[in-house]
Amino acid sequence: MAQSLSNFADLIRSVEHSAVHLETRDVYAIPDEDEGFAAWQQGHRLDPDDRASWWRPWLDLVQEVTAKGVVVRRARIVSEPVSEYIRYEHSFTFTNVAAGEEIRWLPRRQASDLALPGNDFWLFDGNLVQFNIFDGDGGWVHTDQTDEPAVARLCTRAFEAVWERAIPHEKYAIN
């Protein structure tokens, strides 16, 4: 079961300044109805000139919030060599960038000395944290939210430490 985009859309639309996302997994479960991964495995790649074929409604939402001045940043910590899923994700990340997200990649070996929360998270305006809880196979289980100041500070420090070391998407090559 995936988190409802409509609920998340309402949340991210309420942001005034920033939304940051830290991803730490090498694999996320792909729903059975998602044909994109199978097509990618068979050689299909998104066409940079065919924006209509890109992932909707997420990219529309990113464009909407960044157009009002919200900074949306995503950092991904990945093992190297990368998993097949990360190769897939990297192949279409240009669409997120085109929509207005800033994205960086950090090889996991460069994160060994960083204090990081145990789960992926979104941090909204530096004060509301949404942890995304996944099972061992990468399937979304549920979401925990907190506005506890100490947790928000921990997540802010963790994200900024990763961001500082991470490689901008345009410069991160997968071999």
Side-chain angles (χ1 to χ4, degrees), residues 20-123:
V20 301
H21 186 41
L22 182 63
E23 296 179 354
T24 62
R25 299 183 54 90
D26 289 317
V27 176
Y28 294 89
I30 298 172
D32 292 337
E33 65 274 6
D34 184 340
E35 298 172 1
F37 185 64
W40 177 85
Q41 288 176 310
Q42 295 172 5
H44 173 75
R45 298 298 182 264
L46 292 179
D47 180 352
D49 296 324
D50 184 11
R51 285 180 173 243
S53 69
W54 299 355
W55 182 28
R56 304 285 189 234
W58 173 249
L59 298 174
D60 296 328
L61 180 60
V62 170
Q63 285 180 303
E64 177 186 333
V65 299
T66 57
K68 70 176 193 173
V70 173
V71 175
V72 179
R73 296 184 294 161
R74 181 188 308 250
R76 293 175 170 146
I77 299 174
V78 295
S79 298
E80 292 180 322
V82 300
S83 67
E84 185 177 33
Y85 179 86
I86 294 299
R87 286 183 181 284
Y88 165 64
E89 192 172 56
H90 187 271
S91 77
F92 65 78
T93 295
F94 73 91
T95 65
N96 298 71
V97 173
E101 276 190 78
E102 298 174 41
I103 299 182
R104 293 186 182 182
W105 303 80
L106 182 64
R108 191 171 308 282
R109 70 181 182 281
Q110 294 178 21
S112 296
D113 62 341
L114 299 178
L116 302 170
N119 293 293
D120 289 11
F121 66 84
W122 279 92
L123 175 64

